[in-house]
Amino acid sequence: MKYEVIDHTADFGIHVFGADAKDLFANAAFALFDLITDIDALKGLDEHKVFVTGDDWPDIMVNWLRELLYLWTCKEMLVKTIDIFYLKEFELAASVRFDPYNPDRHEIRNEIKAVTYHQIQVEKGPLGWESKIIFDV
Amino acid sequence: MTIELKKIDDYRWELPKTGGMRVPGIIYTSASMLETIKQEESLKQVANVATLPGILKASLAMPDIHWGYGFPIGGVAAFDWENGIISPGGVGYDINCGVRLAASSLVEKDVRPKLEELINALYQNIPSGVGSTGFIKLSIAEEKKVLKEGSRWAVRHGFGEDSDVEHTEDKGCMHNADPETVSQRALERGRKQLGTLGSGNHFLEIGVVEKIFDKVSAQAFGLFEGQVTLLLHSGSRGFGYQVCDDFLAFMTKHVKKLGFDLPDRQLACAMIQSEEGLRYYNAMACAANYAWANRQIMLHRSREVFSRVFGLGPTDLSMNLVYDVCHNIAKKEYHIVDGKERAVCVHRKGATRSFPAGHEGLCEKYRKVGQPILIPGDMGTASYVLVGTKKAMEETFGSTCHGAGRVLSRRAAKRASKGRAINRELEDKGILVRWTGRSTLAEEMPEAYKDISQVIDVVHGAGISKKVAKLRPIAVLKG
């Protein structure tokens, strides 16, 4: 399982899992777009590079998802695949493949308006990495 | 963590000063609602806000308090203008989310036969739903003018009348707005969304004045029993979100340099009297102005729809703007603290301004009775019009509640609505609904919200605003 949805009174969040940090960050990105649209309906026509930094693991997680959400809210890009080719404390570089949004082809399932710091968690446990992130919807 | 509260009177409970709190907390609520509040984290958040530098008198919570990011929703906090902080978390993501009410010359029996046509036409003409874009596409240069001028920009471009500007909080413009303080991203996000409703809890509602409680104020506001009204709830769309997001990220870093030990990262802030603090204040004002222009344009479009459907010209329809209030904002205002008038920065996050009769911030028409306050309820119940009071000036920095507040999460609401046709249930109650999002209706079902009348009883009983009229919905358009 890559992620599960967390229920929250006014909003909702995700509980994400990963074998290692790269896997965790890629799965968090997948979760974000899986909530926004039907990823199976995307082709991944174009490529876009993303680079983010942070002060600590929670900060870089928020910045990473914030950057991806920006691709959707401002650039109308729907991301299909994520290739994180560099990740260390606390820098991340990735290449994503996306389709430009087409209202006739792409269903929008949820409007996610912001990625928040609320109760943010990014942890390395005995069985791998996990993270909790709440979205403002 | 358990928080002990001390009862002050039937409507107020004190959260005593402990730990790093600089002032106590005061919760406006009732004994029955208090139990639900205690189950949430929001009381902890009231205490957290009380630790911030420059906070005056008390960290306040309105009866519709619920959990928010950093600051609770339904929270009011005033900080000293010279030695206090300003915080994006104290305003919220949807900067100048607010409500406007217009009252027509029509009564329910004029509208009923054409109600379906009316709501369908509104649905066609007011873009709504996830990421909705409008019929106005702005250049960046023009968008900056919207950010500077607010409602006035809309009226200047033919969307409305001068009296609309007059009947808007702060005349629909915060003059400190500086478009150079907002990011390219915010500008990009806002460019195509002007004149759109958005999604979530935003709505447009046709209602009927069901009951008048205060004849004098109602008359001044132009309201009478049986009258058909239009209520609009929307904000600054993606633009405001981006401004908030940009400044939260920036202030999270900035606050570390200041050496503040914050109990929650989302209380990130800056001193008002600093380049960083003023930059946020001026950027926030841009979003506030965007929201006012947005609601102004939608009001104008709605008037056109009414005109067409009922074949009435503007004079016969006389759909006057009663008022427009914002409920997510930080503003410089003057209040009496310890017997002296002081400039303060009042943060209202899910709280509405409640200025009394005689206040110079009110337009002439309302200066005799006080400011109209608009409190939307859920789509199946009622909304209220209140009036501002002197007591609010004395106790709550001129503030009152803003709405009902959720009780069910969106997913819980979806579960509760399984197998039910919410639109049919509402239709049986005489309320027509139109909606865009796949799950909007289930998520926004009436049971997902607290009982608005309980919230109103508290603010009325406590005297921080007084009941004027109750509106009953007859048709609702949801994003």
Side-chain angles (χ1 to χ4, degrees), chain B residues 302-314 317:
Chain B
S302 306
R303 275 180 182 143
E304 288 181 342
V305 168
F306 267 78
S307 245
R308 226 174 304 142
V309 171
F310 296 102
L312 291 173
L317 181 63

Side-chain angles (χ1 to χ4, degrees), chain B residues 366-378:
Chain B
Y366 301 138
R367 208 169 283 175
K368 269 198 187 130
V369 286
Q371 177 209 313
I373 298 159
L374 313 169
I375 310 296
D378 66 74

Side-chain angles (χ1 to χ4, degrees), chain B residues 342-414:
Chain B
R342 278 162 86 159
V344 306
C345 184
V346 185
H347 290 60
R348 296 190 183 97
K349 183 186 190 181
T352 316
R353 197 180 76 173
S354 171
F355 279 178
H359 196 288
E360 60 176 24
L362 298 182
C363 60
E364 220 176 289
K365 191 175 169 201
Y366 301 138
R367 208 169 283 175
K368 269 198 187 130
V369 286
Q371 177 209 313
I373 298 159
L374 313 169
I375 310 296
D378 66 74
M379 60 180 158
T381 317
S383 297
Y384 284 84
V385 180
L386 314 176
V387 65
T389 63
K390 224 172 125 235
K391 197 136 184 239
M393 289 308 279
E394 290 160 8
E395 289 185 8
T396 56
F397 295 98
S399 314
T400 187
C401 66
H402 88 303
R406 289 192 83 89
V407 277
L408 292 182
S409 73
R410 288 167 207 266
R411 275 157 59 91
K414 269 197 242 178

